């Protein structure tokens, strides 16, 4: 149980393109979903937290107009990197949590490369 | 906000028990302690979660002393496939700022 699917697993695109990443909880309803960014050999960096039907809460330093998060249902959240540039290249990981005292369950991540 | 401290790396051998300790001196009353395992280019995988005392599941045990300022993940009889980075995470529902430490790179040798 507690499976989270993240798609796509990798994407390569040109600078200026917008990229959408999907995160789905397959066998549970996720009250809260999280989006992380991870650089090589570093820990996870929380970008934003979203509750279904509400606006996402962004961490300090994360541009909300750059990284658009939508959590339209209890099983789906999307992260859109708008007008992506090479410095946005990274490993993006989503997680989903059923309730407050439950652990997060993670997708397998999306490797984003902007040329 | 709780902040965690773990050893940067540890080595062990197949078949041994491995204990990884995490310090979280500023843990809040409603914070849970959760451990994750991460392989390269994959998302973290949930291992175990606890609040106090001891928790055991099919893959690990988690020991939490009464003051909750630290916790120890115990992996019994490790194998080569346990080579990974292990993260200790402290946080609660009302605290969105779930702070991830640097993690412990565990290397298991034959």
């Amino acid at each position: 149980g507690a499976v989270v699917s993240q798609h796509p697993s990798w994407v390569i695109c040109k600078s200026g393109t917008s990229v959408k990443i999907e995160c789905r909880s397959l066998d549970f309803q996720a009250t809260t979903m999280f989006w992380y960014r991870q650089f090589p050999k570093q820990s996870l960096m929380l970008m934003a937290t979203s509750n279904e039907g509400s606006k996402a809460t962004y961490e300090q330093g994360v541009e909300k107009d750059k990284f658009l998060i939508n959590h339209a249902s209890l099983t789906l959240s999307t992260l859109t990197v708008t007008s992506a540039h090479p410095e946005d290249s990274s490993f993006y990981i989503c997680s989903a949590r059923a309730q407050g005292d439950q652990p997060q369950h993670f997708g397998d991540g999306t490797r984003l490369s902007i040329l | 906000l709780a902040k965690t401290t773990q050893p940067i790396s540890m080595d062990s051998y197949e078949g041994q028990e491995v204990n990884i300790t995490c310090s979280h001196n500023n843990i809040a009353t409603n914070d849970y302690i959760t451990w994750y395992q991460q392989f390269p280019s994959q998302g973290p995988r949930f291992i175990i979660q606890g609040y106090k005392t001891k928790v055991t599941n099919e893959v690990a045990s988690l020991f939490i002393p009464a003051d909750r300022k630290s916790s120890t993940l115990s992996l019994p009889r490790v194998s080569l496939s346990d080579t990974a980075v292990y993260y200790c995470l402290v946080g609660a529902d009302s605290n969105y700022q779930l702070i991830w430490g640097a993690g412990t790179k565990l290397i298991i040798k034959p």
Side-chain angles (χ1 to χ4, degrees), chain B:
Chain B
L1 298 174
K3 189 172 181 179
T4 61
T5 304
Q6 303 173 231
I8 294 175
S9 64
M10 292 179 67
D11 291 353
S12 188
Y13 292 90
E14 282 190 291
Q16 299 294 305
E17 177 185 80
V18 171
N19 296 311
I20 306 174
T21 298
C22 178
S23 296
H24 28 79
N25 291 320
N26 298 319
I27 190 169
T29 303
N30 57 344
D31 282 341
Y32 282 80
I33 300 158
T34 314
W35 285 82
Y36 293 88
Q37 175 193 57
Q38 187 180 28
F39 297 110
S41 298
Q42 293 186 24
R45 183 177 74 94
F46 168 75
I47 301 173
I48 197 166
Q49 178 174 288
Y51 183 80
K52 61 180 179 180
T53 63
K54 177 184 174 181
V55 180
T56 297
N57 62 23
E58 62 276 9
V59 299
S61 294
L62 178 59
F63 299 92
I64 305 169
D67 65 7
R68 305 201 328 123
K69 293 183 183 297
S70 67
S71 59
T72 299
L73 173 72
S74 181
L75 304 172
R77 297 178 300 282
V78 293
S79 64
L80 295 176
S81 62
D82 292 317
T83 293
V85 178
Y86 291 81
Y87 292 98
C88 160
L89 180 66
V90 177
D93 179 34
S94 60
N95 179 4
Y96 285 148
Q97 293 190 36
L98 304 175
I99 301 172
W100 290 69
T104 298
K105 185 177 173 91
L106 175 65
I107 298 174
I108 305 301
K109 302 174 183 178

Side-chain angles (χ1 to χ4, degrees), chain A residues 77-95:
Chain A
S77 177
T78 60
L79 167 68
T80 301
V81 184
T82 61
S83 186
H85 292 287
E87 58 266 27
D88 298 322
S89 298
S90 191
F91 190 53
Y92 293 87
I93 314 171
C94 74
S95 71

